[in-house]
Amino acid sequence: MNNRALHQSPALSATSDADFEPPVSLTHIKRVEYTRQTWKNGLGETEEIAISPRRADYHKDEFIWRFSETEVRDSCTFSVSPGYDVAVMMLPSASMKNGVEDDVSHRQTFASLHKKTLAAPALLRHNDQSNPVPFRVLAPYTYKGELPTTCYVKDGATRHIAFIANRNLTSVTVGLETICPHGLDDEGGICDGEGDGETPVPSPMINHHKTPQETHKRNLSLSSAISPQPSVSLSAANSSRDASPSRHIPHTSPTTKILLNAATIVYVVSGSIHASVNGETNGVLVNTGETLIIERDENSAPTDFSMSPVIETSKDLRAILKKSQDATVFIAEVHMKKTVRNESVTSASFRESQIFQGPITESTFQLYNGPQPLSPKIAAHRAGSIVVYDDDKSKSWDSARHYRPPTFSARYQNESDVPPAVVADELVIDDFPVGKISTVWINMVKEGLSEWIRVPVIVARGVNPGPVLGITAVVHGNELNGVPCIHRVITDIDVFKLTGTVVAVPCVNVPGYLRFSREFSDGKDLNRLFPGSSTGTASQIYAHAILNKICIHFDYLIDLHTASFGRVNSYYVRSDMNDPVGSAMAKLQQPQIILHNSGQDGTLRSACSARGIKAITVEIGNPQLFQNQYVQWSYTGVMRIMTYFGMFPSMDSVDPPLPSGKDTWMDPENLTRHMSTLNIDDPTSGISTAQRPPNTIICSRGYWIYTRTGGVLEVFPAVNTIIKKGALIARIKNIFGNIVDEIFSPGHGVTIGRSSNPVAMAGDRVLHLGVLRKENEVLMKEAKENY
């Protein structure tokens, strides 16, 4: 915490040992010192106040605790933090100053604030549970960090503070306290003996208890460790009721706490406090929105920590009485567990802390009511097992590889998450806010229960106007590699750097997806029926709705596919290579193979092309599974296309975007003219090396080779393999093992795809052969395939 005020106790700072770290230190952090982190999805902003250890990176490192303040501008998903517990508290609205509103009496002020408190400005929903939790102002709420939590904002932006603690290393108590000045009677009101209506009354939100042993604190505790009970010192002002006006002038008497814990974090919600330790006279002044951190050695003697509200001095008694003299503070007390107090945070202890024990809806910060029993340790061995794994790291097995977990953090960043979805009858891009990522369910058609089949859509609108790039996946229900590709693209989009709009449809064929089937629910191939019909079969009506409710709003389309069941594919692109825009988009994908295909075949790509939407089809590997290498290739290609159109900064090196001075993307003639002036294959064209497709084979056309008889099929060439004319490519045997047929290549070419299903009927597919484009060959205007 650089440039932050560090205060040490004078009695301790006089030590002669220069290397001795004082047992008690006060760190005062002002608002200007908070580290601001704007979310890439435009839905909010986080200000990190403090983290322990101090140099830890919240997104990458394991840490002990973290304290932050967050502004939520729209409904969003909170970060998931496995192994940690989370305490959040909504702050009063920005219209309030120091916890009270202007221009009203003290009595009216707290009544209105109490009303605002009861009316929760947001709702929290864990694991998509049907019953949300009200997220009320000044009401600390806690939950397990493993729970996926969505925050639904009712109206306007909200601000809250969040304290996250490592469950395996700490026990934490959080709460809200009101620090009151001297001069309160046993009911919490200022004594004047007259019952004047202008006399202030205490806040109805905070219980002013009658005995010093009770507290103004709402305690919620994390673990079994006993937290020290705070006490609020209330002087008996009603013991001496002078008639002198001076008795109306409030004086302050500090609230004293005895600290036994390692760290205490104090955040001033309203008012100002003067804080000190061990009776120091020159303490620290902490104002609204500022934070004070007290760190101490838990093995040292107890520390007296005092807080008193700062009273505004004025000659006008009535002006003093009309102003709130209380200060409200949020306090988190951190105890290090004895078993790990002298140990560092290790990956092993962190993994153990991720074991989810107890009901998933149970808050780990519970109402404090004394010690709680520790969860029993899980036995390391299974009794009665023939083979026992004894955690001996020195052993190795040559027959098995050792699993290595992913290197990325287990904590997911809410800045990349998408908000909860709304429902709409069609996609209207202007209905979604600029500079944010939004999600929507689009109603397509009604099914047998008279309920809507809805298609999920993600809309990322940049802060600057520009083209609309559509990305679709799962037009065939079992072709899934496009789904993680879309997830990665949306995760990496920063709306503050985005020009234009990205509309992603991660699942087009919802019925086929749910049935693990390539076809639509009526058994038809959806990608042979576009543009569909509003009065045709079920699949034709669905295709018509997809095109006219969603895709018609695109300027460009990248349609992501894979091979179908029983087949495997290379990484290749279908595109009309006579179109300069489509040709550029295909080459920017840097595929293994580019297949010239003009369309006119009932595909989504051809239907969009007929409507002036520049489109390509990207084939990403194999069906019904995720292939990380193929997903990475396609993701990089999508980002490269966005960079080329000037929509997003380069992910590689500096690549020349389209000129921004003219609306090139809006004028097809300007765009075609611009594309025709660039040669992506030319090293001197200004396109970076990373952008030039290495070893990409361009095919002028392609066709499938089919079986002449049925049997057990063996296909020999791998995908992306050059084949000579007359080469043996497949063999068919009967079930007894006799060869019944051999298949030879009818021409030179490259293997685009092949069958992987050994059970073949007569007329089944064997191999997808691409015809290599010859030098200076003029491509056909209509190039189709024999699907």
Side-chain angles (χ1 to χ4, degrees), residues 224 357-358 372-378:
S224 59
Q357 300 174 352
Q372 303 289 332
L374 289 174
S375 301
K377 292 290 184 179
I378 299 177

Side-chain angles (χ1 to χ4, degrees), residues 275-350:
S276 62
V277 294
N278 296 328
E280 295 178 2
T281 56
N282 51 344
V284 182
L285 175 64
V286 188
N287 296 313
T288 300
E290 298 179 351
T291 304
L292 181 66
I293 300 177
I294 304 95
E295 295 173 290
R296 59 182 301 279
D297 182 359
E298 284 190 278
N299 295 321
S300 65
T303 301
D304 290 334
F305 174 57
S306 300
M307 295 178 290
S308 58
V310 177
I311 302 299
E312 180 179 346
T313 58
S314 173
K315 293 182 179 180
D316 187 349
L317 173 61
R318 189 169 296 275
I320 295 178
L321 296 179
K322 281 188 176 182
K323 292 183 178 291
S324 172
Q325 306 297 336
D326 296 351
T328 304
V329 297
F330 172 87
I331 299 181
E333 300 173 3
V334 181
H335 297 258
M336 299 300 296
K337 292 186 176 179
K338 292 183 179 180
T339 55
V340 294
R341 186 170 295 170
N342 298 320
E343 299 177 7
S344 59
V345 182
T346 63
S347 58
S349 64
F350 179 71

Side-chain angles (χ1 to χ4, degrees), residues 451-732:
E451 294 293 332
W452 284 103
I453 297 176
R454 295 182 172 123
V455 169
V457 178
I458 307 171
V459 181
R461 297 197 68 185
V463 293
N464 299 311
V468 177
L469 173 65
I471 312 171
T472 55
V474 197
V475 174
H476 293 129
N478 62 350
E479 302 183 3
L480 305 180
N481 270 331
V483 176
C485 174
I486 286 177
H487 291 170
R488 293 188 188 184
V489 170
I490 296 299
T491 295
D492 279 355
I493 285 180
D494 186 338
V495 293
F496 299 102
K497 300 178 182 178
L498 177 65
T499 296
T501 301
V502 174
V503 178
V505 188
C507 183
V508 172
N509 183 357
V510 174
Y513 172 82
L514 296 176
R515 296 167 60 240
F516 318 113
S517 169
R518 170 186 175 89
E519 291 79 17
F520 192 68
S521 56
D522 61 357
K524 301 293 180 61
D525 188 333
L526 197 64
N527 209 35
R528 301 294 181 269
L529 299 175
F530 286 100
S533 171
S534 60
T535 58
T537 63
S539 49
Q540 287 176 326
I541 294 174
Y542 193 88
H544 181 270
I546 288 288
L547 183 64
N548 290 278
K549 289 189 175 186
I550 299 176
C551 299
I552 199 67
H553 302 288
F554 300 163
D555 295 306
Y556 308 108
L557 169 65
I558 303 173
D559 190 20
L560 306 177
H561 285 256
T562 73
S564 188
F565 173 76
R567 302 198 292 269
V568 293
N569 269 350
S570 61
Y571 173 52
Y572 78 100
V573 174
R574 282 192 180 95
S575 174
D576 184 354
M577 298 303 288
N578 287 323
D579 175 32
V581 180
S583 174
M585 293 172 67
K587 292 180 179 180
L588 288 168
Q589 276 287 330
Q590 295 186 6
Q592 295 170 323
I593 300 169
I594 296 176
L595 176 60
H596 171 56
N597 183 304
S598 59
Q600 302 93 32
D601 50 8
T603 61
L604 177 60
R605 176 177 65 92
S606 64
C608 288
S609 297
R611 286 156 178 76
I613 302 168
K614 304 300 180 180
I616 62 172
T617 299
V618 183
E619 298 280 353
I620 319 170
N622 306 330
Q624 204 63 49
L625 79 165
F626 290 162
Q627 296 169 284
N628 289 333
Q629 182 61 74
Y630 283 84
V631 171
Q632 180 63 27
W633 284 340
S634 59
Y635 150 78
T636 305
V638 171
M639 301 305 292
R640 198 178 293 113
I641 289 174
M642 291 176 59
T643 297
Y644 193 73
F645 288 142
M647 297 180 66
F648 201 72
S650 172
M651 303 292 287
D652 299 321
S653 57
V654 180
D655 298 322
L658 290 176
S660 57
K662 301 178 181 178
D663 289 333
T664 306
W665 57 272
M666 288 293 291
D667 189 339
E669 293 184 2
N670 286 345
L671 182 58
T672 302
R673 192 179 305 113
H674 173 76
M675 291 295 186
S676 63
T677 62
L678 298 179
N679 183 2
I680 296 180
D681 299 313
D682 182 5
T684 63
S685 64
I687 308 300
S688 70
T689 303
Q691 208 176 56
R692 292 196 301 272
N695 304 320
T696 296
I697 299 173
I698 298 180
C699 298
S700 58
R701 62 187 180 93
Y703 59 92
W704 276 94
I705 301 170
Y706 292 86
T707 61
R708 296 183 291 266
T709 185
V712 180
L713 175 65
E714 296 177 88
V715 182
F716 303 123
V719 296
N720 196 35
T721 302
I722 300 296
I723 301 175
K724 292 184 179 180
K725 182 178 181 179
L728 177 65
I729 59 174
R731 180 177 286 146
I732 299 178

Side-chain angles (χ1 to χ4, degrees), residues 388-424:
V388 177
Y389 176 63
D390 58 2
D391 293 332
D392 185 355
K393 297 181 180 179
S394 63
K395 291 184 179 180
S396 62
W397 292 264
D398 294 335
S399 61
R401 293 181 296 176
H402 287 269
Y403 168 71
R404 294 183 178 180
T407 56
F408 53 79
S409 172
R411 295 181 296 279
Y412 309 110
Q413 302 180 25
N414 54 357
E415 64 178 21
S416 300
D417 287 343
V418 298
V422 298
V423 178

Side-chain angles (χ1 to χ4, degrees), residues 238-257:
N238 56 343
S239 61
S240 176
R241 293 175 174 263
D242 285 335
S244 171
S246 63
R247 66 182 180 88
H248 291 283
I249 305 298
H251 302 280
T252 60
S253 179
T255 296
T256 302
K257 299 168 64 69

